[in-house]
Structure formats: C-alpha cells, structure tokens
Amino acid sequence: MQGAMLTIWGRTTSSNVQKVLWTCEELALPFERIDAGREFGKLNEDWYGAMNPNRLVPTVRDGELILWESNTITRYLANRYGGETLYPAEPGARSRVERWMDWQLSTLMPAIGPVFWALIRPQPGGPDAAALQALVARLAQVWTLLDRELAGRPYAAGDRLSLADIAMGNSIRRWYAFAIERPDLPHLAAWYDRLAERPGFQQHLMGPVV
C-alpha cells in the first residue's frame, strides 16, 4: 500500500538518517528529504520540537503520522510498505532481526561512538593515544563477536539482507574508513562487501565520513 510521499528531516551524513534513506531505497519508496541538524539548524526551532521532542534527526512524516527514532522508523516502513523480506512477520525470524537491531543500539553504538568522536570530530581534552588505543581495541572485540556469528551465514540475521544489516551499515562503513589498524576478520569483511554491493548502500552510505 502506497501512501503520500514521505518527508524526511535530516542531513545525509547522519548515521541514523542513512538507515532510513537506505531502507527507503530497498523498499522503492519515494521521499522528500529536508536538510536538518548541525550546520543546517532547525532542531531548536519550536515547530521541529513539536514533531520530535528529542530534537534529533531523523524525523519522518508519513501522511499525518510523525515518526522518530531511526530503528523504529525502519520497522514502521517495512511493516507499512511490504518489506517482509527485510523484516519478516514470522515471530522467530523477526526476533533474530530485532535482537541485532537492539545489539546495534546497546553494544555497537557505545563502542564505535567514542572512536568516531576521537578520530573524526576530536574535541579539546579528548582521549590520549593510549586511551584511543583502548577504545579501538574494545570496538574490535565487538566486531569480533559479529565476525564469529557471520561465519555461519551471509547476513546478520540469516540468509538475506534485513533491517539488522541496515541498522549496522553506517558503523561497518566507518570501521573500514577509520585510519586505524584492524584485526583480520574475514567474515566481517565479506559481509561488508555484500552490503556495499547494494545500490542503497552505495548511494547513501559511501560518502565522506564526517
């Protein structure tokens, strides 16, 4: 079922916006995107806060419905617009997708975030060399867990691309773009190569890491 064209507020370099844009590409959903966040402003304006009380991106409007929180948005889009291949209806298969989406929020993001900020957006008083090395090592441990899981399947939740992979797409893109030494994780590297073949990944995630 096709509704009105989606409106998406958010800058293209945001990891959370990228999840939504890639999902739209996989579902062949037309959308209008409006720059918001960082240099584009808007987040502190009253009209934006009325839509999204967190004042973050992305925010999505589908008809009269306003959505925020990127993983929730991707689940909604898959449910609403025939995305069962990305987000299966069968409870067991769906749970395998959702646990990796939860893992992305609870485990991967806390590990990759400090490395991103230290390398890409360093702040005064940020981690010294030894502290950064410890952060990179911790992130490598997190990716090693996923590498072991990917030894038995091509995608995070099974045999096909799902919302779980989309949720982690920006993070794996950053991992291979960071100027750091990385352990040899062959299953993770092969997964990244598979994701990078997707047109939506190429269009929305392969820009500069900023």
Side-chain angles (χ1 to χ4, degrees):
M1 184 191 308
Q2 189 71 40
M5 180 182 291
L6 301 170
T7 302
I8 302 170
W9 284 268
R11 55 187 171 81
T12 59
T13 53
S14 161
S15 61
N16 291 323
V17 174
Q18 289 172 356
K19 295 179 196 178
V20 175
L21 298 179
W22 184 9
T23 302
C24 287
E25 293 296 333
E26 293 291 340
L27 298 174
L29 293 176
F31 60 86
E32 175 191 15
R33 188 190 58 78
I34 300 171
D35 281 322
R38 291 192 70 193
E39 67 270 29
F40 302 106
K42 300 184 178 67
L43 305 189
N44 290 325
E45 297 183 24
D46 290 343
W47 63 268
Y48 193 89
M51 291 195 302
N52 185 338
N54 290 309
R55 297 182 183 271
L56 299 172
V57 293
T59 299
V60 171
R61 182 174 65 207
D62 186 14
E64 298 301 314
L65 181 65
I66 300 293
L67 301 117
W68 40 274
E69 291 296 327
S70 57
N71 282 359
T72 293
I73 294 168
T74 63
R75 285 191 292 260
Y76 166 82
L77 294 176
N79 279 326
R80 175 78 169 86
Y81 293 109
E84 189 170 332
T85 58
L86 296 176
Y87 192 43
E90 193 278 319
R94 176 165 288 198
S95 74
R96 289 188 286 274
V97 173
E98 290 191 327
R99 69 186 177 190
W100 286 108
M101 296 177 77
D102 290 344
W103 184 84
Q104 180 262 330
L105 293 174
S106 67
T107 303
L108 178 56
M109 284 307 299
I112 198 169
V115 178
F116 171 80
W117 282 98
L119 293 174
I120 307 300
R121 297 187 201 162
Q123 304 294 313
D128 60 21
L132 176 58
Q133 185 176 7
L135 292 172
V136 171
R138 169 59 185 146
L139 179 55
Q141 290 178 339
V142 171
W143 284 127
T144 298
L145 182 154
L146 182 56
D147 180 76
R148 290 195 299 266
E149 293 294 308
L150 289 167
R153 56 184 181 271
Y155 295 99
D159 293 332
R160 65 175 75 182
L161 184 84
S162 75
L163 294 183
D165 305 287
I166 291 174
M168 294 186 281
N170 176 276
S171 293
I172 193 63
R173 157 73 174 137
R174 289 176 173 180
W175 169 247
Y176 283 107
F178 289 155
I180 57 174
E181 291 188 10
R182 286 171 288 272
D184 181 21
L185 300 174
H187 309 298
L188 191 77
W191 174 66
Y192 175 56
D193 289 343
R194 282 188 285 273
L195 299 188
E197 292 173 354
R198 310 292 297 198
F201 189 103
Q202 294 170 10
Q203 181 174 353
H204 297 297
L205 279 78
M206 290 303 291
V209 175
V210 295

